[in-house]
Amino acid sequence: MEISFLPRVAQLTLREREREREGIVGEGEELRKKANREMRTLKPVPVSIMASRLTNLISRPKSVSARASSAPHLTRQMSTEAQSVASRLSSSGLLRSQGLIGGKWVDAYDKKTIKVYNPATGEVITDVPCMGGRETNDAISSAFDAFNPWSKLTATERSKFLRKWYDLLIAHKEELGQLITLEQGKPLKEALGEVSYGAGFIEFSAEEAKRVYGDIIPSTLADRRLFVLKQPVGVVGAITPWNFPLAMITRKVGPALACGCTVVIKPSELTPLTALAAAELALQAGIPPGVVNVVMGNAPEIGDSLLASTQVRKITFTGSTAVGKKLMAGAAGTVKRVSLELGGNAPCIIFDDADLDVAVKGTLAAKFRNSGQTCVCANRVIVQEGIYEKFANAFSKAVENLLVGDGFTEGVVQGPLINEAAIQKVESFVEDAISKGAKVLLGGKRHGLGMTFYEPTVIGDVKSGMLLSREEVFGPVAPLLRFKTEEEAIRIANDTNAGLAAYIFTNNMQRSWRVAEALEYGIVGINEGVVSTEVAPFGGVKQSGLGREGSKYGMDEYLEMKYVCLGNMNSN
């Protein structure tokens, strides 16, 4: 997943990406400042201008469907609605703009702040604290103090707290969805789906809290009894990305709390507001002060504090492989446990015998969800030569119908990219492919809406040496590659250091089983483009990470096994 706890690592230009690879964690601050400067130079777009742009776009045949003749009026209405969302959220008490330490909402100790932007308009939503090492250390101390009483609660008691939190998340689904769209940009319908998905991890964790079982082992000696206990790891540092500002938090915090751990959450500086709203609801659910803490701001300082503290016993991180490696190295100093969900380069293999409609629909979902900004997005669409032309035509037609716009506009299915650096990265990847012989079948440039909107794009004749094949584009660009045989498809798919998710479309049951076994990925979808669920393990192999999130397997990431030997049992 091309996202990082060093802000905007995933959206860097090629030159910046090389610097990040060669540098140290501390260089992320320079990149953060640069990206923030870029964001500050973006001028807010007045509603009238945005409506005018949308009116012009609707008259064009590409990208925006002509299905709604009233769209210009609707766009004005929804743009105005977007401006009022912040005030409604503030009235509801969910628009928090302070960190949470020990149950108290606090500013940065030096009063520094950072701005949170609406990526669809460039407008400032609010300021949040730019916290650093001192605040993080206090949050760690708070979590450490809360750990003993929280872990001593019965599993049933912790389950009840989590259930209340889940109920509140669902009760405020509409507000949380609006907040996600406001600060992250994804369409409101998709944001509401994330709320349901994210809340599902809290519900599942509430249920699994009561099913953390140990073992009794038959002893080899008559006077001994052998037991295995499972106990909470301790304080957990949870570093989360911007592309799923709720779900990536609940997927980590839910099982941590269920097992008896306490947490310090470090959300992305691009999307901290959803994390703060979720934390507010955790407090309303009665979860004791200090069990959940939230700090944001100076990413390197926060990360260094989490890594250096002996009170933090585990780091769980979703982000880029480059930063994951640095966290692994940093965790070695105190021998912390780490769970890492890192970069992907997902292949989507379309065999000649695939159902064309199923393949188009599944690939569309796997590629363009969240404007292509997910860790499991299809990064390479690998199509067998017998169906290549037919698939390319059908897929391009489907992509052409995707409605692009502000996430609050009715019918929109693709919002903006997260910031200017992200769209520059997409542009550089597309330019690289074209320079090496690839052909743009659809799109291939910035959208007429301006800002960070990019046209849904399909590129044909992509080769393995192009950046689109080697690295995550993390944007709405679908590269098409040809293959001849099943063996070649597997070779192309596995020719990467990543191994998070892969997709297969075929009607041959034997082939689906063979290929699924041969693919070096932690997740494989067969004739399905949306595979994530709280009840199944999520994670990768190779350089896509360590550990699993979700399901009963995800609970084990927050538990230590303790072997107890009880001797002299035959004595009176």
Side-chain angles (χ1 to χ4, degrees), residues 260-274:
C261 301
T262 55
V263 297
V264 177
I265 303 168
K266 189 269 169 202
S268 168
E269 288 71 32
L270 295 174
T271 57
L273 304 180
T274 305

Side-chain angles (χ1 to χ4, degrees), residues 94 161-180 191-204 245-247 249-251 253-254 257 273-285 287:
L94 292 182
F161 281 119
L162 286 169
R163 184 69 203 193
K164 289 179 182 177
W165 191 14
Y166 165 78
D167 289 339
L168 286 170
L169 289 170
I170 294 301
H172 293 278
K173 178 179 177 178
E174 193 72 26
E175 296 101 311
L176 291 169
Q178 291 173 344
L179 187 53
I180 291 171
L192 293 171
E194 181 184 342
V195 177
S196 296
Y197 174 58
F201 287 103
I202 302 300
E203 181 183 38
F204 184 86
L246 179 67
I249 288 174
T250 57
R251 197 159 78 179
V253 176
L257 266 57
L273 304 180
T274 305
L276 297 173
E280 165 63 26
L281 294 176
L283 292 179
Q284 292 183 24
I287 293 175

Side-chain angles (χ1 to χ4, degrees), residues 1-315:
M1 178 181 288
E2 287 287 334
I3 44 187
S4 171
F5 107 94
L6 300 181
R8 284 170 284 285
V9 166
Q11 302 85 31
L12 303 179
T13 63
L14 294 178
R15 181 178 63 82
E16 290 170 326
R17 288 168 64 82
E18 290 302 321
R19 289 173 55 201
E20 193 276 335
R21 284 195 194 95
E22 296 169 2
I24 58 173
V25 172
E27 288 191 53
E29 176 63 9
E30 178 185 346
L31 300 180
R32 180 185 69 80
K33 290 178 180 177
K34 180 180 185 299
N36 280 342
R37 287 196 299 271
E38 292 174 346
M39 288 299 291
R40 284 195 291 271
T41 63
L42 298 177
K43 296 180 179 179
V45 180
V47 174
S48 59
I49 294 177
M50 182 63 75
S52 175
R53 287 178 178 173
L54 285 167
T55 302
N56 293 335
L57 188 62
I58 287 166
S59 65
R60 296 168 56 192
K62 302 291 186 182
S63 300
V64 177
S65 171
R67 57 181 168 232
S69 60
S70 61
H73 171 72
L74 180 61
T75 298
R76 293 189 188 96
Q77 183 183 38
M78 288 300 177
S79 296
T80 303
E81 173 71 6
Q83 292 183 342
S84 67
V85 166
S87 61
R88 293 205 307 271
L89 288 167
S90 182
S91 299
S92 71
L94 292 182
L95 186 60
R96 288 286 181 178
S97 57
Q98 295 175 296
L100 180 64
I101 299 176
K104 296 180 180 179
W105 296 102
V106 297
D107 294 317
Y109 295 163
D110 60 6
K111 303 303 179 184
K112 289 182 179 179
T113 62
I114 52 178
K115 298 182 183 303
V116 182
Y117 294 88
N118 178 344
T121 65
E123 295 171 330
V124 176
I125 302 170
T126 189
D127 293 343
V128 296
C130 184
M131 295 174 159
R134 288 193 298 154
E135 295 90 345
T136 304
N137 288 333
D138 285 350
I140 292 169
S141 296
S142 174
F144 185 77
D145 291 341
F147 170 71
N148 191 58
W150 177 253
S151 63
K152 296 303 180 186
L153 293 178
T154 66
T156 298
E157 290 174 307
R158 291 197 298 272
S159 176
K160 289 178 180 178
F161 281 119
L162 286 169
R163 184 69 203 193
K164 289 179 182 177
W165 191 14
Y166 165 78
D167 289 339
L168 286 170
L169 289 170
I170 294 301
H172 293 278
K173 178 179 177 178
E174 193 72 26
E175 296 101 311
L176 291 169
Q178 291 173 344
L179 187 53
I180 291 171
T181 296
L182 190 65
E183 68 172 347
Q184 199 275 336
K186 67 180 61 175
L188 182 57
K189 182 178 180 181
E190 200 170 317
L192 293 171
E194 181 184 342
V195 177
S196 296
Y197 174 58
F201 287 103
I202 302 300
E203 181 183 38
F204 184 86
S205 298
E207 296 162 347
E208 285 297 297
K210 296 176 287 186
R211 291 190 276 273
V212 177
Y213 303 135
D215 280 306
I216 299 176
I217 303 172
S219 176
T220 57
L221 299 174
D223 68 338
R224 294 185 181 181
R225 301 294 182 270
L226 312 181
F227 306 90
V228 174
L229 307 179
K230 291 185 178 181
Q231 296 178 313
V233 168
V235 176
V236 175
I239 302 169
T240 62
W242 52 262
N243 59 344
F244 288 91
L246 179 67
M248 295 301 98
I249 288 174
T250 57
R251 197 159 78 179
K252 300 174 187 303
V253 176
L257 266 57
C259 292
C261 301
T262 55
V263 297
V264 177
I265 303 168
K266 189 269 169 202
S268 168
E269 288 71 32
L270 295 174
T271 57
L273 304 180
T274 305
L276 297 173
E280 165 63 26
L281 294 176
L283 292 179
Q284 292 183 24
I287 293 175
V291 173
V292 175
N293 305 272
V294 185
V295 293
M296 74 226 80
N298 188 319
E301 281 193 20
I302 294 171
D304 288 345
S305 295
L306 291 172
L307 291 171
S309 174
T310 57
Q311 293 180 335
V312 176
R313 302 295 297 274
K314 176 182 174 67
I315 296 290

Side-chain angles (χ1 to χ4, degrees), residues 346-369:
C348 181
I349 305 173
I350 317 294
F351 286 98
D352 283 346
D353 61 8
D355 182 308
L356 184 62
D357 291 339
V358 171
V360 168
K361 180 181 177 182
T363 306
L364 200 69
K367 173 67 257 184
F368 290 98
R369 187 163 58 104

